[in-house]
Every structure is written in structure tokens, then in C-alpha cells.
């Protein structure tokens, strides 16, 4: 009597929850774990859940799935599209969508646990399943660690995790070494002086200050980073003003920065701060901008040997050509914290969710970027099959590779 | 037994209401009019109120006061500072403040009506008092007209109105001809393509599009308008994105445009549209920006003869030097619609609310713009006296000048 | 046997000379003065010429004409269009054109001197004629004063001058008070670090620094100056780099600033410096920009009484409607120095050179700016008649108004 | 009796010549070839020189050295620093410097020829030496081919070449596959409308148009190119205007674009054109910008097998660790044309010219970019030894590897 994974996925997709608000999701997970007869610890890192299959002596393998959704208004037109809304940290009512596939992560994890349980006689050791909240804030892993997840379960010998991505369904993407970038999220408050929209000379216009800052920040990547190196300076949000005829007193920028390693992080951060402060001076601001860090994510670095073992195991299981090197991703993850904190290897891989024919067709026309919705897009919509099955299998094969 | 105008002002100041939501304010006004024994028509233009003193044959003088407040968070530290909040048209919970002095406009109007009532034997004719909502949206005058205010009361022979301003308390500012600018409020939606903050190349970044547009809009005033002409292109609000690591699909700008007349309006509007459309093209946008008009205000033009009569009357009443030419204001008003619709003259003047010593001191140090809070500033705070008294007197003297 | 003014004008137009290089022009002037039998002092302020008609007791009226041309490539297609070239102060070979009408100024002055000479019995006093070099550098008047022109000729009771402008030929434009703006010319050197075009990260790119500075300078006029005040911040020249694949070490901007008075000058200069320095910091420049002043011109302020006398005299002479108020010009002049130094009144006026029908036609279609070439345009081309005649007459009538 | 290579290098360094003007350099080369008793063909591709050592049957190896210098003002303070000047294609008098090390290329080539001649009994085959002009214009190789260099000498079996670079002296840098980027040089003429600096509204300001275009071009690399891909959009030169108070009619930009392959070329070119045209529209330009190509260089792709052979040969000759993978260079070369035209393999490598201790010291402090002058810098100054010797040896070892 197995879990109906398709129904489970659709239910999760219909009920996305913002970071650290995944209470319903945690409830669904806990219920399924209970049905499987597994131990359940809830409330780790506010809304996180963890469980374990303890199956005699042997290695301890941690599997991690994240479970939060995003403030995106779904536009997929799917029958099961989300119409959910939530309250973001600023108190704003926003649409919510599983635009990054974490619903699929949870689904595959539960499927894998059921399979591993059903095949307990084929392996020994311990599998720890971590359902992590707030990956999108880059804060959930550390919150679970702060709540003692590493003490309450057997320490890992290896940490494994997977992420849905716009590769063809059936394909796994992984590479040894840096798999995902380091990243920081910054908030920049630019302080001007407000006043009437008809009297700009009596104000210090923070909208113009913000616009000039955004334009100048572009030059960090375009002129100051070695063209062969990876760096991203995204201004993901800009907000100032409530009314056309009032010049507001301040503007807020939200930045997402990406780099391959910690040296580049320090370098880019210094450049961002230099630009922000100078542009405030160019505006004649009388108060310094306030720069604060929202989150800081390490690079996701795959252990070389462990990755090689997994690639071989998957190719055996899924056939030649089923595993590709997707290159380094410029996105970031907080999964590393579990492995870093425990001082053990990590392998983090991607698996595809795009209809293979659609992918091949777009690829042939050089239209991948235009036609295949990426993670965080309002159109992000994995095909259900074989995405679910491959997600389950990839986890099971990987866990079994490191279990006795 | 007269109205306690200071207490009335403080009450109104403590309870500011956004445009078209002035229900409590309208209630207070209606109650005071009732106490005075005057007729009251409520609900004109949603929340407007009108009344009349019918005092035999003679000219009909309309007096107008506006009564809405602004989404500004008061920072005056006054004992009676506002802590009110409201819901703006976008559904956002915002702070509310009488940052433009309309509470003083209402106070002075009620004081003037009481005085005119008390001196009925000295004049004849009709005084119509119009308490207008939503001046800040540039929509209240037209809404009252649409609701028939010009039909339900005797048609004006002249329309009079006054506005609080950062002149020294005691001083009146007025000029014949164009007293205030024409103005339009625009909303510009810039349409890009959203995606993950780490993959800008798969998006059309609307934040950069918006920033480039704001910078380019500056060149209209700096390069394209005759340096001797007045024009203002203010971007009072800019909004895009919910989260640092999601590139949003669109950005919104709110523009406030100002010009001396309708020719300049057409000219500047065409330039704004040219810049907005070209910057979307520079971003490779696949959808055209959407430009819509929030409101459109005519220039406020004072009748030459009527203004000359008032200047003389005030100088007789308040002394030589009490009236100054404040120059054309770049702000705008919708008071003109009452006079335009009726085809009669208008005089609209300013009266000061700044402590005269503070004003003189700042002036001497060339620090007016830095130290004297303007309308719409979170620090806007008129001194109560003699501001209230001069506001009452200015209205009474002006009305009497045109009554028999 | 009078001077053939048309031939003289065409000769001067064909042989334009850059500022302080007006040697041929000075020679032509000296020769004509000699033919008239007038005294000639050459070499005042390098290439300036002065002369006088001493005609008994009476007021001393100074008439001033400037005589330099501009580095503009004439595109008028006139038979007598300039093909001249010159060497500018940077040592560059440049085209030269009388694109500001100083050839007409010289022509009208010589015509006026001849007429005044021919009518000596109708007036008494002294007329001093000053042919000034290098007005375009804002340096010629001070150079002539430094060379003692005020000592070598009788001190003026009034200084008069005129300038050709795109008004209809026959029309004079003048106003009491500020007739032309104050102005400064600045050179800004932005110091970066050069390198190979393929390795921007090893450089500090001065081209981007210059571009960001130009864009930010726009915000001074668009946001920081009262919209009712006049200010101009023009970047008239930008230069950096010799080759597409070498990032240069520095960039140079040439700025022309305009304002109504000396207070505004100090204010705008401070803002320009603030922007320039902050943008260098935003680029991470390790050396401060170098800002130097090329020239500094006072406002041109017409004496109120003297202007009123002239307007009346011209209307008597040329008919009602022949004199208009052209408003304040944003251009600048150094003619003021003669009057300032002597402590006497100045009147400086404009006279038109555009075919009246063409002007009326463009005006009717709102196409003045598009169709009528302004001073400094490569298409600037006054009609010869009645421009020459009106220029002569305007000077003669004006001089006679102040002579006995 | 061998060539004094140090003296030769210093002589060439003192007498740099711009592209296609290398007449003295060609003369020096021809003279040395004559002294060696080798055949000399001059005037190939205007100023190119070619020679050959015909030594019996065997492979034909082409060695190529480029010989032109750059419009850079040397600031090295070396005793033999260049003070030379030249006339660039625009007719401007400019400083000239061997800022890219082509003087060292020529020196090493002549040293290698002498050595190969002296050891003729150790090898057989043919060595063709090509001294190419105008590499900096990306035009010299094609010019020599157009002049028949491939017909006048035995066709190559392989083409070899080397370039000086800021690696430690003694080190060779090479990689199989793409060694240098593809590149295009563009000229962009932005057409506005000129006028007086005080009347911007009567003009279409090309300086602002150019500045906005430069700022917007930054967003191609910062937002539109995959952060993991290499692309460079450098504006190496910007020119507009002759005088601060004249707004010019046009501005010129010189762009250097870099990409790894021809697909990226088409993509970036389209984006540049989109930005340039849209920014002209944003300025209200009435004429389209004129975009023209100065030169177009293919990627420099090293043959995999041949590169592997050379790496092995050099490590045998110079020791383990003497050859490094320098990564792909973002600079470009036209050496490929010889191999492309002949349809044979190419290997193009770099050799270091920086004092090894200075390099190590800067590297340790993370100050390579700040302290080690790159090619095209006015401070570019290779140490003479062992740079000269290693350049000679690298060529000899490489040639011998492919000769019989």
C-alpha cells in the first residue's frame, strides 16, 4: 500500500507556503512519515521535520529535501495551479507558488523513504531524512542545526541532496567540485530627503539615487570582474514612494550576489559597498546608506570521489548518457551547512523535469532560455512523469551506494 | 459660543484620512455646520460636504477647502502628531498624515463661516462653502461636480480658495495669472521577463529597465526644455520585486509631471513616452510599456482684476507688506474645475504657517530649503497661531470683498 | 564714397579666425578705419583694435563689436561659405566658421562709424569703437582692459553693444535687467587606469566613469535647481581613447555652465564638483579628478533707465513693434567687463538676421527650434538685408541717444 | 658572430611604428635577414617581410612574429623608453610605444632563425618566417595573404607563433582548444543636432546620447550574457565636441567586443546594435546611428595534438612546471588566418616577461592586476633576461618538434 506520489505532489503544489511558514507542508510530511511507521521530529528550525530509518550497523546517509515556496504568482494555467497567498516578512500580502520545485523534492524524498523501507533487507546502516524549511531565505539549514538536528540524529558519513531543474526529465546533472555558487542577499536602504513632487530642489531624491545606483552596479560585472570569472549582481527588488506627487525620503534595494568562492565574495561585496556609498554622495545625501545582510550562502562543493561513485551508479541504473555535467550553477543553496558542520562530504545533484521532446525541440531552435521556464518563473511546471519516478530512483540509488 | 478652532484643528490633525476616505472628517464638518445651524449636503463626490449661508440678494461667492491627507508617516514629534494608518488604493496599509495642511484649510473655513454668520447684517448675498475630498488625487473637484454640486447650490460669481504654505505665518502670497502649474500623474508599467536572480541572461530585467528609464527621464528637463521654462518630471514611486533572488517580471513607476500650460503638457508627455518606449526597447523588452494617466490637473490661473481687488483689501486689513508675490508654484490644484465649469473667475492664494522668526533666521542663512519643511514632508507642522486666525481672516476679507 | 558693407561682410565671413588669432580680421578693420581717417590702436588684448571719433565736448559712448569665429564646419551651402581651418588651443587642426555672427557685428560697427562721421555736425561728444577679440573664450574684454584700453581712450559714460540673433531681420530684442546669463567654462579630467580592451578588470575604465558622470550631471538641473530658476549644465565635449581595443587612462569633459547670477554660480559649481568627485569614487578611481576653469563670465545686466531710453528711440526710428522683449538669454558675454571696470551703465541688445517670412512660417508651425539655425550651428546664415542696414541703424540711433 | 639580441630589442623598442607604418622595423629585419644570408621578401601586406630556411626535404613549419606598436605614451621611465610619435588613421599626431611586446616577438624570431641556421645539420625541412604588420588593426595577416605570401613560400604543415605576456619570465602558457577570443572592433557614430551650449533644448545632445549608450551597453555583459560565459563590451574611445559652449552634432564611440566563438559574436553584436539604436531613439534622434566594423578576428584555436606535443617538448627542454595553462585569453589575434587559409593546425602560445620575484611578490599579496602592467599599458616593460632567451628557445624547440 504505497503513497500516491502524484496526488501528494499535486496537493503540495496547490498549497505552497512561504519560508518558515511551511506548517501545512510539515503536517503532510509528518503524517506520511507516521503512516510509514517512521519516527518524526517536528519543529526543527521552526517548521523543519526530520526522520530516520535505523537499519542496523553501517554508514549514516543524510538525505535532504527543502520544502518552502516563493512569492510568485503562478501563471502555468495548470489545473492544479496555485492560487495561494501569504504574508511576506514585510507584512505584505503576496501570491505564493512552488516555483522552484521544492514540492517535487518533498515528494521524491517520501517516495525514496518508502522504497528504502521496503528494501530494508538489502542494506544496512541509517538513513536520516531532513525536510528543511526556508531554503529560499538561505536560513533553514542553519536554523535546523541551531535546533540540534545534528545531535538528535546519528551524525552523517555523507550528505546527499537533489534539486529539480530545467533539464530533460530522466536526466541527472552533476559535477565534482563547485556545483553551485556562493551567494549573499543584501538590503540597501538609500536615505534621501522627502518632499513635494513639484519641488525636487527641496529634496534629496532617493528614486534618482536608487536608479543611478542600479545603473552603476552593472559596471561591477561588466568592467571590474575578469570576463572569465563568474559573478552576478542582481537587484531583485527596488521600492520607494507611495504616491506620484510625493518624493519619498528613502528607497530600498534588495541585492542578490553570486560568486564561485569566498575570495570573490569579499571582492564583490567591497565593490558593491563602494558604488552604493559613492552614489549616495553623488546625490548629496546627508546620511550614509544602510547596507545589511539578509543571508550568506557558501558555495556548494561536491566531493570528487563521492560524485564519481554516484555518476557510475546512476549510469549503471539509468543507462549510459543519463548523467550530464551541467556546469557550475550560478544559483546557491544552504544544503552545504549540514556537511560543513559535520565535516563530511556532500553530493548535491540536479534532476530534470522538462518534457524531453519539448526540450529537444527548443534546444534545436536555440530557444532554451526563451521557451523553457526556469526555476522561480511563474511558468515553472515540471512534467509529472517520469520526473517523480526519476527523483525517487536517484535518491534510492545514491543512498544505497553509500549504505552497506 | 464660538467653535474652539485650535481644538478642532488638533482633532483633525490627529485623525487624517486618505483621499475619498474622509468619512470621519466629513462627519466632524457636518456636525459643526449643524451646530451653526447651516444646511448640510453630504456625500457629494463620495465624501464631500457643501453648505451655504443664504443672506438675501447679492453676489454668490464660493469658498472651497479640501480635506484629505497623505500616505506620509508623521515625524514632527508634536504631542498631537498623527499615528493613523490607512489602506491605499493598491490595498497597502500605509501611515497617514495631514502633511499638506488640509486640516488647517477645513479649520479656517469653519471659522470663516461662523464669522460671516455672526456678521450677516454687514453683507448680503450668498456664501457657498465647499469641503472637497481627494484633492491629492486631483479627482475630488470633478467628483463633486459630477454629483451636481453646481446644480444643488447657487452658481458662483467667483470661486475663492486658499492653501497653507511655508511662508511666515501672517503673510499671504498671491499673484495674478498662473499661480500654480498644470500637472499630470502617470503610471508606467515596464514589462520584462522574470526568473531566478542567478540567471539574469534568461530574463529581461525590469529593475534595470526602470533604473535606466529614470536616469533617461532626467534628460528631458536637463536638455530638452528651454532652461527658462518650468517643467518637472518627478518619479515619485518605483516598485519592482518581492525578493532579492527573484528577478521580477515587471516594474512600476509613478510619475508626477508639471508645466505652466497645456502646450507644455503635450510636449513633455510626448517626450516622456518617447523615453519610456525607447528604454524598453534598449532592454529588449518583448512587450510595450503600459502608460496610464492617474489624474490631469489644469493650471491654476488667478483672475487679474479680482486678484488686484483682494491684494488691496488684504493690505488694508492686515497692513502694508502682508501680501507678497510668491511666484508661480510648481505644485498643482484641482480647485480650478469649479470656476472653469461655471465659467467664472477664480482667485486662489497661499497663506503662511511658519513661525516668522524661524523663517527669518533660516532665510538669513540661505537655509529655507534645508530647514523649513515643505508641504508633503513628514515634518510639515504649521504653528497654530496666528496661522488659524490669519486663515479665517483672509477668507472673511476675501468673501466680503465680493459680497454686497 | 562709402564702404561696401555687403562685400565687407562676405569677405569677413569667408575668412573666419579663431579667438586671439583674428589677425587678418584686425588688419581689415584697421585698413577701413584708416580709410575713414580715424585713429587706430592695434594689438590691444593680443589682436584687438580700438578707435575713436572725437567730436568736441559731450558724453563718451563706447560701442563694442567682437570679431572671433568658432571651430565649426560650415554647412550652409552659401556661395561664400567658409572653408577655413585653424589650429585650436589643443593644437588640433579644426574647421572655422563665423557661426555666431561676429562678422556681422564688425560690419555693422564700421558702417555705424562711417555714418556717425558723416553726421558729425549733428552731435557732439566722443564715440569709442572697440573691436574685441576672443569673446568666444570669454577672455577678450579682460585682455583689452589689461592692455590699457580704458586708459588709452576717454572713459565711457555708457557702454553699448549688439549681437546678431535668430529673430526676424528688422527686429530688435532687448530687456532691462539681466539680459544674458553668467557662465563658466570648466575642464574636468577624469583619471582612471588604462590597459588592454579585453581586460577591463585590470583597469579603471575612464570611459564608463565619464559616461556615468555625464548622466549624473543631468540630475543637477532636473532635480536640484528650482524648476522656476534657469540653470544649464552642458557637457560640450567629451574625449577619451585613441583605439577601440585600448582602455585609456583618462577622459576629459568640457562643461559650460549657465546661471542668472553669482549666487547660483557658487551653488551649481559646488554641485558639479560633488557629482564629479563622487562618480570618480564610484569607479574606484585612485586619483581625484582635476577640475579647472577655462573662463568665467558675469551676467550681462542692462541698465533700466538707459534701456528704456533706447527702446523709445528705436521705436521712434523703426516703428511700433520693432522692439521686443526676447526674455533673458541663457548665453553669456564678456562685454560687461568694460562697463563693470569703468563703473558705468551698459545696454546690450540683439538684432535679428532671419528672413521674416521664413521666421513667420516656422513660428506658425511651432518649428522655430527645428528649422531656424541658432548661433553656433553649422547652418547659421543671416540674410544680408536688411540685417546689415538694421545693425548699422541700431548702433547709430543708440549712440546718438546718449551723445549730445 | 651572432646578433646582439639585447641591442636589437632596445633599438626596436626605441623606434616603435604604428600599424602598416612599420617601414623602419621592416628595414631592420630585412638587414638582419640579409646578414644571415637568408632570402628576403619585403612589402607583403604593405610593410610585411617574409623569409625562409630551406633545408632539404621535410615538413614546412611557419613561424610568425608581428611587429607593430600602439598609440600609447610610454611611462616606464626606462632609459630606452620610447618618445616616438606617429600619425594615426584619423590624421592625429599621437605618441607611439611598443606596449604589446611585438618588439620582443621580432627579436626572438631573429634569434631563433639564427639558431636554426646554425644547427641546420640537426634537422631537415623548411622554416618560413613571417614578420607580420598591423596585428593591432587585426588586418596584417589578411593583407599578407592577399599579397600572396602563401603562394610565394612553401605551404605550411603547421603554423606556430608566440606572444609576450605578464607571466613570470621563463614560463610558457598554452592550452589546447580556444586560446584567445574572437573579437570585433566597431565604430558607432551617434547623430544628434548641434547648437549653442546655452540652448540645449534647440539641440539633440550627442554627448548625453553617447553617455547613456555607454551606460546601457554595460547591461549586456551584466545582465544578458550567461555569467559563466565570457564576453567583453569595451568602449575604448569616445569623442564628441570641440568646445565647452558648443553642443556638437555627433559623437563617436569605438567598441571592442570579445567572445569565445562565432555564435556568441552574432548574439552580442545584435545586442549592441539594439542598445545603440534604442538609445538614439530615447534621445529623439532624427537620424539612425551609423555602425561600422573596423576589424573582425576569429577565435585563436590551438590544435589539441600539436599542443600536447609542444607541452611535452618544452617540459623536456625547460623542466617540469615551466609550462602552465593560462586559461583562455580574452584578447584576440589574427595569426589564425594563416592556418585557416592553409587548412593546417595552429599552435599559439604565450611566454612570460615579468621578473619572477616581482610576480611572486605581487601574487602573494593578491595584487597582480594592480601592480603588474598588462599588454597595452603605458608601463608595460618586460625584463630583458631571460625573456629574450626563453623566447628564442621556445620557438626553436617548437619548430624542431615539427621538423624532421
Amino acid at each position: 500500500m504505497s503513497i500516491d506520489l502524484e496526488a501528494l505532489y499535486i496537493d503540495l503544489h496547490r498549497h505552497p507556503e512561504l519560508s518558515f511558514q511551511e506548517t501545512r507542508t510539515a503536517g503532510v510530511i509528518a503524517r506520511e512519515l507516521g503512516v510509514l511507521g517512521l519516527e518524526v521530529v517536528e519543529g526543527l528550525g521552526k517548521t523543519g521535520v526530520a526522520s530516520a530509518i535505523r537499519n542496523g550497523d553501517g554508514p549514516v546517509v543524510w538525505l535532504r529535501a527543502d520544502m518552502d515556496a516563493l512569492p510568485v504568482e503562478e501563471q502555468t494555467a495548470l489545473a492544479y495551479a496555485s492560487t495561494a497567498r501569504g504574508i511576506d516578512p514585510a507584512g505584505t500580502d503576496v501570491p505564493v507558488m512552488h516555483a522552484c520545485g521544492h514540492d517535487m523534492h518533498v515528494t521524491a524524498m517520501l517516495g525514496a523513504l518508502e522504497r528504502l523501507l521496503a528494501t530494508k533487507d538489502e542494506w544496512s546502516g541509517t538513513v536520516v531524512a531532513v525536510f528543511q524549511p526556508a531554503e529560499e531565505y538561505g536560513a533553514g539549514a542553519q536554523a535546523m542545526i541551531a535546533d540540534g538536528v545534528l545531535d538528535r540524529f546519528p551524525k552523517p558519513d555523507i550528505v546527499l541532496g537533489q534539486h529539480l531543474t530545467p533539464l530533460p526529465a530522466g536526466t541527472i546533472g552533476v559535477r565534482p567540485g563547485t556545483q553551485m555558487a556562493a551567494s549573499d542577499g543584501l538590503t540597501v536602504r538609500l536615505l534621501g530627503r522627502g518632499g513635494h513632487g513639484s519641488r525636487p530642489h527641496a529634496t534629496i531624491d532617493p528614486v534618482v539615487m536608487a536608479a543611478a545606483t542600479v545603473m552603476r552596479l552593472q559596471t561591477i560585472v561588466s568592467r571590474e570582474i575578469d570576463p572569465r570569472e563568474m559573478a552576478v549582481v542582481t537587484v531583485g527588488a527596488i521600492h520607494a514612494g507611495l504616491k506620484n506627487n510625493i518624493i519619498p525620503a528613502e528607497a530600498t534595494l534588495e541585492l542578490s550576489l553570486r560568486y564561485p568562492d569566498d575570495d570573490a565574495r569579499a571582492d564583490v561585496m567591497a565593490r558593491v559597498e563602494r558604488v552604493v556609498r559613492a552614489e549616495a554622495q553623488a546625490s548629496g545625501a546627508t546620511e550614509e546608506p544602510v547596507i545589511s545582510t539578509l543571508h550568506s550562502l557558501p558555495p556548494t562543493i561536491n566531493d570528487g570521489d563521492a560524485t564519481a561513485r554516484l555518476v557510475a551508479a546512476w549510469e549503471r541504473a539509468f543507462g549510459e548518457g543519463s548523467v550530464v555535467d551541467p556546469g557550475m550553477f550560478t544559483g546557491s543553496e544552504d544544503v552545504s551547512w549540514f556537511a560543513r558542520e559535520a565535516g563530511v562530504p556532500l553530493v548535491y545533484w540536479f534532476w530534470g523535469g522538462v518534457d524531453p521532446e519539448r526540450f529537444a525541440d527548443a534546444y534545436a531552435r536555440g530557444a532554451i532560455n526563451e521557451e523553457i521556464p526556469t526555476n522561480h518563473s511563474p511558468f515553472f511546471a515540471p512534467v509529472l512523469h517520469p520526473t517523480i519516478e526519476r527523483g525517487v530512483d536517484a535518491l534510492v540509488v545514491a543512498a544505497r551506494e553509500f549504505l552497506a
Side-chain angles (χ1 to χ4, degrees), chain A:
Chain A
M1 197 176 71
S2 67
I3 310 172
D4 180 341
L5 293 179
E6 178 174 317
L8 174 65
Y9 169 77
I10 287 174
D11 176 72
L12 293 172
H13 190 80
R14 271 192 170 130
H15 299 95
E17 295 171 303
L18 291 176
S19 302
F20 285 133
Q21 305 181 27
E22 311 89 337
T23 48
R24 183 188 182 280
T25 307
V28 168
I29 290 165
R31 193 193 157 282
E32 296 293 342
L33 292 171
V35 169
L36 293 175
L38 292 175
E39 60 179 291
V40 179
V41 182
E42 293 190 65
L44 289 167
K46 202 162 178 198
T47 44
V49 180
S51 182
I53 308 177
R54 298 172 196 259
N55 191 24
D57 289 345
V60 180
V61 175
W62 280 43
L63 305 179
R64 178 270 210 171
D66 42 5
M67 57 189 194
D68 51 330
L70 286 162
V72 171
E73 186 156 16
E74 181 154 358
Q75 298 179 33
T76 60
L78 288 169
Y80 51 89
S82 165
T83 57
R85 300 192 67 84
I87 304 296
D88 75 7
T92 309
D93 179 78
V94 292
V96 187
M97 173 192 177
H98 267 300
C100 200
H102 297 190
D103 44 357
M104 188 62 83
H105 302 180
V106 168
T107 301
M109 176 80 111
L110 287 167
L113 291 177
E114 182 179 45
R115 179 92 58 80
L116 286 166
L117 211 52
T119 57
K120 268 179 87 167
D121 52 340
E122 298 175 9
W123 57 275
S124 68
T126 301
V127 170
V128 175
V130 177
F131 296 88
Q132 180 203 304
E135 187 276 333
E136 298 291 351
Y137 288 177
Q142 287 172 300
M144 290 189 82
I145 292 166
D147 266 5
V149 70
L150 279 163
D151 303 318
R152 295 169 75 163
F153 288 89
K155 286 246 162 56
D157 293 303
I158 191 164
V159 175
L160 304 176
Q162 63 180 5
H163 203 299
L164 195 63
T165 205
L167 285 170
T171 299
I172 289 175
V174 72
R175 69 185 330 234
T178 303
Q179 174 66 79
M180 298 188 78
S183 169
D184 287 82
L186 302 183
T187 297
V188 175
R189 280 179 60 217
L190 298 168
L191 306 175
R193 184 168 66 222
H196 197 285
S198 68
R199 293 172 49 78
H201 56 292
T203 74
I204 298 170
D205 186 339
V207 175
V208 167
M209 199 190 308
T213 302
V214 170
M215 293 310 288
R216 259 298 197 162
L217 286 171
Q218 306 308 311
T219 67
I220 295 176
V221 168
S222 71
R223 299 276 85 191
E224 301 187 21
I225 305 298
D226 189 325
R228 295 163 300 184
E229 299 293 328
M230 187 281 285
V232 180
V233 177
T234 286
V235 182
I238 182 170
H239 291 287
L242 290 168
K243 201 159 177 321
N244 72 88
N245 64 350
I246 308 174
I247 296 172
E250 65 177 83
T252 303
L253 305 179
E254 305 246 349
L255 274 66
S256 176
L257 312 180
R258 313 270 163 170
Y259 3 68
D261 55 47
D262 288 328
D263 282 353
R265 174 199 308 269
D267 179 65
V268 173
M269 292 279 264
R271 294 175 193 279
V272 166
E273 181 166 348
R274 186 196 75 219
V275 166
V276 166
R277 295 201 184 285
E279 287 300 329
Q281 286 179 33
S283 280
T286 54
E287 290 182 83
E288 279 290 306
V290 180
I291 304 175
S292 49
T293 297
L294 288 166
H295 59 73
S296 188
L297 295 174
T300 302
I301 299 174
N302 282 339
D303 182 77
D305 292 340
T307 303
R309 283 179 64 179
L310 285 186
V311 169
W314 285 322
E315 295 227 317
R316 280 194 306 271
F318 308 138
E320 195 77 20
S322 57
V323 186
V324 300
D325 178 349
M328 187 181 75
F329 278 40
T330 52
S332 305
E333 256 291 341
D334 65 353
V335 65
S336 292
W337 288 121
F338 297 112
R340 286 198 169 205
E341 192 70 20
V344 303
L346 167 81
V347 185
Y348 194 74
W349 66 89
F350 295 88
W351 93 101
V354 182
D355 177 62
E357 279 188 33
R358 181 181 178 199
F359 189 93
D361 176 57
Y363 185 83
R365 284 178 293 106
I368 291 286
N369 283 342
E370 289 69 27
E371 298 186 4
I372 306 297
T374 66
N375 299 59
H376 291 206
S377 158
F379 296 98
F380 186 76
V383 293
L384 300 190
H385 309 285
T387 307
I388 293 173
E389 292 74 15
R390 185 51 47 98
V392 171
D393 294 345
L395 270 179
V396 170
V397 168
R400 289 289 298 275
E401 178 67 21
F402 294 108
L403 293 164

